[in-house]
Amino acid sequence: MTNTDLKALELLFQRPLEPVFTTRDQGKVVLELPDSFYTDRYRNDTVAVSNRFSQDVDLKIPVQELANKPNLDFAKKLGRKNQFSLFNDRHREIASQLITLFMGAPNLKQFVSLAAYTKDRLNPVLFQYAYAVAIAHRPDTREVPITNISQVFPSNFVEPSVFRDARQEAATIGDSGERVHVDIPRNYTASDREFEQRLAYFREDIGVNSHHWHWHLVYPTTGPTEVVRKDRRGELFYYMHHQILARYNVERFCNNLKRVQPLSNLRVEVPEGYFPKILSSVNNRTYPARVSDQLLKDVDREDAAIEIAEVERWRDRVLAAIDQGFVEDPSGTRTPLDDVRGIDILGNMIEASPVLSINSQFYGNLHNQGHTIISFAHDPDARHLEEFGVMGDVTTAMRDPIFYRWHGFIDTIFNKFKVRLDPYNAAQLGFDGVSVDYVEAKIGTGNARPNTLITYWQKSSADLAAGLDFGPSADGNIFASFTHLQNAPFTYTFNVTNRGARRTGTCRIFICPKVDERNQPLRLEDQRLLAIEMDKFTVELLPGENTVRRQSTESSVAIPFERSFRPIGAAYQPKAADELARFRFCGCGWPQHLLLPKGNAQGMLFDLFVMISDYSQDSVVQPNTPNDSCSTAYSFCGLKDKLYPDRRTMGFPFDRRLPNANLTEMVGAFQNMAKTDLKIVFNDRVVDKP
Ligand code: CUO
């Protein structure tokens, strides 16, 4: 990166707990601060401190004095060693003010100064969150890559003994220039006595959790309007989390477990316990656990207070609104919950975003406060001085089995609304004159058997050096190896006949499980709720026969491994302008290595469903903003600064009831749809990443 201001911004993602005057980029770069930037602890030693850290560096980046020093009193309530939660009202309010402050910096240089000045004066997790939101939304920071959260705060993602190994390894071989490798153990949170442990590979996957963090970073609930108010954000809250649920439930079938039971009753004991064993970076304590059969309680703490009865009241009001078919704003004006805008209104109201909720006084803050109650179940009145558990933090919530029960409940509310809408009719589902005649998915290009896909374990590594504060700044990075599910890349091939003039269609690919965990066939209504979106793209159809080919790695829901875990440091940055552009803001998206569910050893059966819909009913006229070069995961993440690029409601056609008795009948009734049996075979072996 040529511009040193942009470089400085990138460096502020590294070593989040170290003072801003220490070196970054493996000891190669240092920021030169005005004396007034040093915190009281170092104020009397500014010369000595800056000399110490500016020896042997290749680059010194001067930081401008601030025109006005900001008053940071608003953030004082959150100490530097406290946990920061996006689900906590007070924390969100602090974050909102900080984002507003960052967004308001008049130019790039002053933004660098503001960030450098505030970093050591604020809670480090709060800082990194608000800072990343500002980088993602300021027009002048478009080129700054947002470092993946698993690399900024690795302790939130991996088993803590790894860090001791990493420091030890780096101290012994780090200076030799060799790469330091450490192993993250598998299956460390529970034994196989706990059935839920069968899903640990999914819940504790680094890519899954960093995707979730990144999604909430792109779609904050509070902050300046231009940051919060995004096209169809409430609907995307529903849809992205709904897809996570569908994937999780299917993954459970693969492991002989039944679907999650939605957490609809907050007054009975929760059988699922969870002992996360990961460390919080800010205070070096492990995240608190929740024992099995814990009863949830009203939360009455200085940092959070919420009664279960209040959450129940909000739930009942939301359900009543759905039953009545309209919502009311504070002045009593009614807005109908129709088939176009209804789901978006509900998403923002249930999550809830205080900026976008139609009436947060009345409909409350249902989903967020559910997270709060669950996350404090172990210490609801702070008598043990414990902080929240993993459910309190978007970087860690998806590790806990109860996440899927709570979101399962939220999803049932959204579905109550969806089933009230009329089933899709023939005009909405069909595409006259277009027929899909043949569908297959096949691994590679050789003679593999069509429609048999393979999953296996893969060992990969990610660089965690950026987040290892006070660690060795030796030349070389620290690679942590971990084992994750992987799928063999495959190609879809469709034959499509177009009996009209040249036209455009949207190709929608889903897989639906055919049977449940007991091998019982699923009804269309169940398949609809469990349909996993695999891909969505436009196709140009010439008159006559067309063959459409698409690689699984091009999926519109997923991003490749390399984009989730790109290495840190100048040496790894692309030099060419177009590649550099692709490098920025690209971390949101389902991990490609979990694109397919695990399947099972015998081969689990799915319907591979393909539909080509009429693009003239799907297309969206975009505002004239620069192209986003990393738009590949738009189904889950939308497009930066643009409208959601598909006019149909998200999940179409499976988001609403369908007019047919089963999928075979539906595909028979509509020529623009086709399906085939697909088998996913799991191969229980570990392969090193090539
Ligand atoms: Cu993503 Cu509950 O919204 O965690």
Side-chain angles (χ1 to χ4, degrees), residues 521-630:
L522 291 163
R523 297 172 307 144
L524 179 58
E525 182 63 8
D526 291 313
Q527 284 195 301
R528 172 177 93 71
L529 292 170
L530 293 165
I532 293 176
E533 180 176 339
M534 297 295 287
D535 205 347
K536 181 162 66 178
F537 52 94
T538 51
V539 280
E540 282 303 310
L541 299 172
L542 301 174
E545 285 186 12
N546 296 261
T547 301
V548 178
R549 286 205 174 78
R550 175 88 167 174
Q551 310 298 324
S552 61
T553 48
E554 295 173 282
S555 169
S556 66
V557 305
I559 58 171
F561 185 86
E562 290 70 22
R563 199 173 294 165
S564 298
F565 307 110
R566 60 194 152 206
I568 314 293
Y572 297 97
Q573 286 193 8
K575 303 284 180 288
D578 55 334
E579 281 179 51
L580 193 60
R582 214 171 299 134
F583 198 74
R584 60 164 218 248
F585 193 73
C586 297
C588 187
W590 190 249
Q592 180 79 40
H593 59 261
L594 288 177
L595 181 66
L596 280 184
K598 186 174 166 199
N600 59 29
Q602 309 81 47
M604 183 147 159
L605 272 185
F606 290 82
D607 283 313
L608 169 62
F609 171 89
V610 178
M611 166 182 196
I612 297 188
S613 60
D614 182 354
Y615 184 71
S616 67
Q617 290 188 49
D618 308 334
S619 66
V620 165
V621 181
Q622 292 287 0
N624 193 15
T625 49
N627 269 334
D628 182 17
S629 51
C630 65

Side-chain angles (χ1 to χ4, degrees), residues 87 212 216 237 240-241 351 367 371 394 397 403 407:
F87 301 120
H212 186 234
H216 282 278
F237 170 78
M240 197 283 290
H241 289 88
E351 185 183 2
H367 151 266
H371 272 272
V394 289
F403 173 92
H407 270 277

Side-chain angles (χ1 to χ4, degrees), residues 82-116:
N82 288 128
Q83 290 276 59
F84 165 73
S85 170
L86 272 182
F87 301 120
N88 180 303
D89 283 348
R90 288 174 213 184
H91 295 187
R92 285 197 304 172
E93 185 46 42
I94 293 171
S96 165
Q97 290 196 48
L98 188 56
I99 293 167
T100 308
L101 182 70
F102 285 157
M103 292 300 291
N107 54 47
L108 199 58
K109 279 208 181 314
Q110 284 290 295
F111 178 49
V112 172
S113 300
L114 192 59

Side-chain angles (χ1 to χ4, degrees), residues 1-14 24-25 29 31 59 61-63 107-113 115 131 134-136 138-147 569-570 573 577 580-581 583-584:
M1 195 165 287
T2 47
N3 183 324
T4 54
D5 294 323
L6 298 179
K7 176 77 198 167
L9 291 173
E10 196 198 327
L11 295 179
L12 289 172
F13 284 115
Q14 297 179 20
R24 301 283 187 283
D25 261 8
V29 191
L31 302 182
L59 176 65
I61 303 178
V63 174
N107 54 47
L108 199 58
K109 279 208 181 314
Q110 284 290 295
F111 178 49
V112 172
S113 300
Y131 179 64
I135 297 262
R138 282 182 66 98
D140 53 1
T141 53
R142 300 181 67 92
E143 285 181 23
V144 179
I146 293 176
T147 305
Q573 286 193 8
L580 193 60
F583 198 74
R584 60 164 218 248

Side-chain angles (χ1 to χ4, degrees), residues 28 47 93 115 177 217 232 285 287 303 318 357 415 515 533 599 606 662:
K28 301 258 176 35
V47 176
E93 185 46 42
L217 178 89
R232 295 168 73 182
R285 293 186 191 156
Y287 276 81
D303 53 353
V318 168
S357 172
N415 190 46
V515 292
E533 180 176 339
F606 290 82
N662 55 53

